[in-house]
Amino acid sequence: MEEVDKIIIHSLRQIGCDVEENISSLSSFNTELVVQATIRCLEIIKPELGINPVLPENMAARFRIGMLLAQAVMDLGYKGDVGYQTFLYKSEADLRRVLIFLIEKFPKENDKTIIEPITKSEQIDKLISTSVSSKLSVPWLPYYCHKKRSKFDVRASNPFSTVTLNFPKSEDSEEYKDYAIHYEKTFLEQVPYSKNLLPSIIAANSREELKNCMTTEEKIEWLNQQKYGTKSDTSDCDIYSIDRLISQMGIPGSKSNGDLATSESISPEEEKEDENIIREKKLKLESDKLKSTIEELQTEITNIAFEMNKITAMEEAEARNLMNQEQESKYKLKAFELLENGRENVNKLETAIEAQINKLINLANKWEKHRLPLIEKYRKEKEKYSSEASASQKKLDELRALRVKERELIEECKNKEQQYSQLLSDVEKLPKEINRAPYAQRILEIINNIKKQKDEIDKVLADTREVQKEINTLTGKLERSFAIVDDMIFRDARSNDISKRAYKLLATLHGDCNEIVSLVQETGATIREIRDLEEQIESESSKNIGPNLERITADLKQMRQETAALTAQLHNKIS
């Protein structure tokens, strides 16, 4: 078991358990180390477990952690007996079985056993790096987008306060502009606080933009220009509405509607334009009338064309009927001609039919003569082709099978190469300073010892089987011989007193022998029970019942003290 313990301890050190160098067996493990090793193994198998590896001082919390560990081990499929006592009050054999089970459950393709840090400082560095990488992987969000805001987040509210800024404008003189460029203070110097800089610039810019805006009079004049520019024949109502708007706004220099009407006069050019408009209207009316007449004529033409199509279709149908009637009349004429000499015509038809039948028979005989060799040739060719096709099909099947096998072999080679490269990378990642030769040698020695023990056990079993066979044969012979002797003596005992005594002695001897055999069997069973009990005693003695019992009593006292303290606190709170 020392070799097994060394292998377990080496595996625990590889996964990051803080096992001291002087520890060489599981019997040297204390409770804290047992719990830490179990939790570390479970974290590698189930990373989401989340159990604190530090064992608390409170006994109730310790029992709770022990129950959690036992439940986690049972969830992984452990079939043995496991409970909180396995971890808190360790038994070397039970702990060895549990740790072997957990180590066997490690993921096969896991590099954590190689990369995991060994010392505490390396573990702290790894925790820091993982936490930093997890923080960096999260995208940045402003404080008001987080679900849980920090209590130190404070919103700053700056009022929109402005300051008048001095800077050269476009309408200023060149001298002032030169002065402002060389001697005027900058915006930062003119503003008392930096928070007023941006609002002041925005306000100054808006003021400059508003200076260039149009006045109300300019806007109305622009509207009038747009109105007169788009329509030449502006109505009096529109002009009146614009002038009324101007008069209501009290703009000086505005004219009334009457003044505008009197100021305008009709020119001869406008009269010519009116005449042209009237002519255009007349031409439009005439063109509309012509369009309507053209459309009516087009509809009449389409109707006439439709009627013409109908008439042509009727003519074609009548022509077909006429052709059919002519053919029927020809057939009827021929029939009437044949009816005049009916007998002669019938005889002629019969002779012609017989001649045709004889001709067909001769042709059939000739065809049979030609057909038979052709059929034989066809069958031979078909058989030949089928044999060739079957052979080619077999070859094709073989080729397909070979191709499939080739693909499988190629895939297998690729998988082997991948496994080889993976194993090479795993070997390169393994620590170089560890010498695995002694471990391998020890494992081989253990395997050889197991083989020897198995051979010895097989020999013992074979010997026991042979002995059992001999016992069975002897008991069979004994029973048969007893039956024969019993029968013989019983026959003689009817007429002979000595035979009667011999029969009684034989019966007592047989009973005594049976009792001796049963006693021997009972002694063997008791010896086996004694051996089993001795083994149980050894196993129980190896569990360190005495120290564990002392620890349990100490823990019980501690729990009683804790409960007493808690009850006292409760009484104090109630009072």
Side-chain angles (χ1 to χ4, degrees):
M1 291 298 172
E2 292 180 359
E3 305 296 334
V4 178
D5 291 348
K6 287 180 181 178
I7 293 168
I8 292 169
I9 290 166
H10 178 69
S11 301
L12 293 176
R13 283 173 181 163
Q14 278 190 333
I15 62 173
C17 292
D18 192 9
V19 183
E20 296 178 358
E21 295 295 332
N22 56 359
I23 295 174
S24 60
S25 65
L26 296 180
S27 60
S28 303
F29 278 33
N30 54 10
T31 306
E32 288 79 7
L33 188 56
V34 169
V35 172
Q36 181 188 357
T38 308
I39 291 171
R40 189 62 184 147
C41 294
L42 289 171
E43 282 179 352
I44 290 173
I45 299 166
K46 296 171 70 176
E48 69 276 4
L49 190 63
I51 300 175
N52 190 5
V54 179
L55 198 63
E57 295 293 333
N58 192 0
M59 291 307 301
R62 287 192 173 196
F63 285 124
R64 195 180 301 113
I65 288 173
M67 291 299 294
L68 287 173
L69 293 176
Q71 187 63 39
V73 172
M74 290 173 69
D75 291 339
L76 291 174
Y78 185 70
K79 301 296 183 183
D81 188 12
V82 64
Y84 67 90
Q85 72 278 359
T86 307
F87 308 104
L88 298 180
Y89 311 105
K90 66 179 178 64
S91 171
E92 189 175 348
D94 294 338
L95 181 61
R96 187 179 291 110
R97 283 194 290 270
V98 170
L99 290 176
I100 289 169
F101 172 76
L102 292 174
I103 290 167
E104 288 176 353
K105 285 286 182 179
F106 283 174
K108 300 298 180 185
E109 297 179 358
N110 193 4
D111 296 331
K112 289 184 179 180
T113 58
I114 300 165
I115 304 168
E116 282 293 331
I118 297 171
T119 61
K120 289 184 178 179
S121 61
E122 290 179 355
Q123 289 179 359
I124 292 166
D125 292 337
K126 187 185 176 185
L127 288 172
I128 292 167
S129 63
T130 52
S131 63
V132 170
S133 61
S134 64
K135 293 289 184 183
L136 290 173
S137 63
V138 178
W140 179 85
L141 291 173
Y143 72 95
Y144 49 80
C145 292
H146 290 285
K147 292 182 179 178
K148 294 182 179 180
R149 298 179 184 175
S150 176
K151 62 182 180 180
F152 300 106
D153 291 336
V154 180
R155 294 187 181 182
S157 59
N158 294 324
F160 191 85
S161 59
T162 61
V163 177
T164 305
L165 299 174
N166 296 321
F167 59 94
K169 283 83 172 176
S170 59
E171 65 270 10
D172 292 337
S173 62
E174 294 294 333
E175 295 177 355
Y176 179 72
K177 288 180 181 179
D178 190 14
Y179 169 77
I181 290 168
H182 291 91
Y183 301 105
E184 189 66 52
K185 292 181 179 180
T186 61
F187 288 166
L188 287 171
E189 293 174 351
Q190 293 179 21
V191 173
Y193 301 104
S194 60
K195 63 183 180 181
N196 298 331
L197 177 62
L198 188 60
S200 301
I201 292 170
I202 292 168
N205 191 14
S206 62
R207 288 194 202 99
E208 289 296 320
E209 290 292 331
L210 289 171
K211 281 183 181 180
N212 298 324
C213 291
M214 297 171 67
T215 61
T216 308
E217 295 177 1
E218 291 174 351
K219 288 179 181 179
I220 292 168
E221 287 178 1
W222 181 79
L223 286 171
N224 288 327
Q225 289 174 4
Q226 294 293 322
K227 195 79 173 176
Y228 296 140
T230 53
K231 290 184 181 181
S232 60
D233 51 349
T234 307
S235 63
D236 295 335
C237 183
D238 294 335
I239 295 166
Y240 176 73
S241 63
I242 292 168
D243 291 333
R244 187 179 178 185
L245 180 63
I246 293 166
S247 62
Q248 284 178 0
M249 294 179 71
I251 298 168
S254 61
K255 294 180 181 181
S256 64
N257 189 11
D259 297 334
L260 286 169
T262 54
S263 63
E264 292 179 356
S265 61
I266 298 168
S267 61
E269 293 177 356
E270 291 179 354
E271 290 179 357
K272 289 180 181 180
E273 288 178 358
D274 294 335
E275 289 177 359
N276 292 327
I277 289 165
I278 292 165
R279 287 176 186 174
E280 287 177 358
K281 287 181 179 179
K282 287 180 180 180
L283 291 171
K284 283 181 181 179
L285 291 171
E286 290 177 358
S287 64
D288 292 334
K289 287 179 181 179
L290 289 171
K291 284 180 182 178
S292 62
T293 53
I294 289 164
E295 288 176 356
E296 289 176 357
L297 290 171
Q298 285 178 353
T299 53
E300 288 178 359
I301 289 164
T302 52
N303 293 326
I304 291 165
F306 183 69
E307 290 177 356
M308 287 292 290
N309 291 327
K310 281 185 179 180
I311 291 164
T312 52
M314 290 171 67
E315 286 179 355
E316 289 176 356
E318 288 177 357
R320 289 195 202 95
N321 291 325
L322 183 61
M323 291 289 289
N324 293 327
Q325 288 176 3
E326 287 178 355
Q327 287 179 358
E328 287 178 359
S329 63
K330 286 179 182 179
Y331 293 145
K332 287 178 181 179
L333 286 171
K334 286 182 181 180
F336 285 128
E337 289 176 357
L338 292 170
L339 286 172
E340 290 178 357
N341 297 319
R343 289 285 179 183
E344 293 178 359
N345 292 324
V346 169
N347 293 325
K348 286 179 182 179
L349 285 171
E350 287 177 354
T351 54
I353 289 164
E354 287 177 357
Q356 291 292 330
I357 289 167
N358 293 323
K359 188 177 180 181
L360 288 171
I361 290 166
N362 292 325
L363 289 171
N365 292 325
K366 289 179 181 179
W367 169 244
E368 283 293 329
K369 290 178 182 179
H370 288 287
R371 192 173 70 87
L372 290 172
L374 291 172
I375 288 169
E376 290 178 357
K377 188 177 180 182
Y378 171 73
R379 287 174 180 172
K380 289 178 181 179
E381 293 292 333
K382 190 176 180 180
E383 289 176 357
K384 186 178 178 181
Y385 175 74
S386 63
S387 62
E388 290 177 356
S390 62
S392 62
Q393 188 66 33
K394 286 180 182 178
K395 289 180 180 179
L396 284 172
D397 294 335
E398 289 176 357
L399 285 171
R400 286 172 185 169
L402 288 171
R403 285 176 182 173
V404 172
K405 193 172 182 181
E406 183 182 1
R407 289 172 187 169
E408 291 177 355
L409 290 171
I410 289 166
E411 290 179 358
E412 189 175 356
C413 289
K414 287 180 181 178
N415 294 327
K416 294 287 185 182
E417 287 176 357
Q418 289 177 359
Q419 289 178 2
Y420 178 70
S421 60
Q422 183 67 29
L423 290 171
L424 280 177
S425 62
D426 293 340
V427 168
E428 289 175 357
K429 289 177 183 178
L430 289 172
K432 305 295 183 183
E433 65 273 6
I434 296 172
N435 188 9
R436 298 183 180 273
Y439 293 106
Q441 187 66 30
R442 289 171 187 171
I443 291 165
L444 292 173
E445 289 176 357
I446 291 165
I447 291 167
N448 291 325
N449 292 327
I450 290 166
K451 286 181 180 178
K452 289 178 182 179
Q453 290 176 2
K454 188 178 179 182
D455 294 335
E456 291 177 358
I457 290 165
D458 292 334
K459 287 179 182 179
V460 171
L461 289 172
D463 294 337
T464 52
R465 288 194 193 98
E466 290 178 358
V467 171
Q468 189 67 36
K469 285 179 182 178
E470 290 178 359
I471 290 167
N472 292 330
T473 54
L474 290 172
T475 52
K477 286 180 181 180
L478 182 62
E479 288 176 357
R480 287 193 295 274
S481 60
F482 174 74
I484 292 166
V485 172
D486 188 9
D487 190 16
M488 291 173 65
I489 294 171
F490 183 74
R491 288 176 185 175
D492 295 335
R494 293 177 181 176
S495 59
N496 194 355
D497 294 333
I498 297 168
S499 298
K500 287 181 181 179
R501 290 178 184 175
Y503 184 74
K504 289 179 181 179
L505 291 171
L506 180 64
T508 54
L509 180 64
H510 185 67
D512 293 336
C513 289
N514 287 329
E515 288 179 359
I516 290 166
V517 170
S518 63
L519 288 171
V520 170
Q521 290 177 353
E522 288 176 359
T523 52
T526 52
I527 289 166
R528 285 196 296 273
E529 289 178 357
I530 289 165
R531 287 176 182 172
D532 293 335
L533 290 171
E534 287 177 353
E535 289 177 357
Q536 289 179 4
I537 289 164
E538 288 178 358
S539 63
E540 291 294 331
S541 62
S542 64
K543 290 181 180 178
N544 298 324
I545 295 172
N548 287 334
L549 186 61
E550 292 177 358
R551 289 181 62 191
I552 289 167
T553 53
D555 293 339
L556 182 61
K557 289 179 182 178
Q558 187 177 353
M559 287 187 70
R560 285 176 179 173
Q561 291 175 1
E562 289 175 358
T563 52
L566 290 171
T567 51
Q569 289 178 4
L570 286 171
H571 286 305
N572 292 327
K573 286 182 180 179
I574 291 166
S575 61

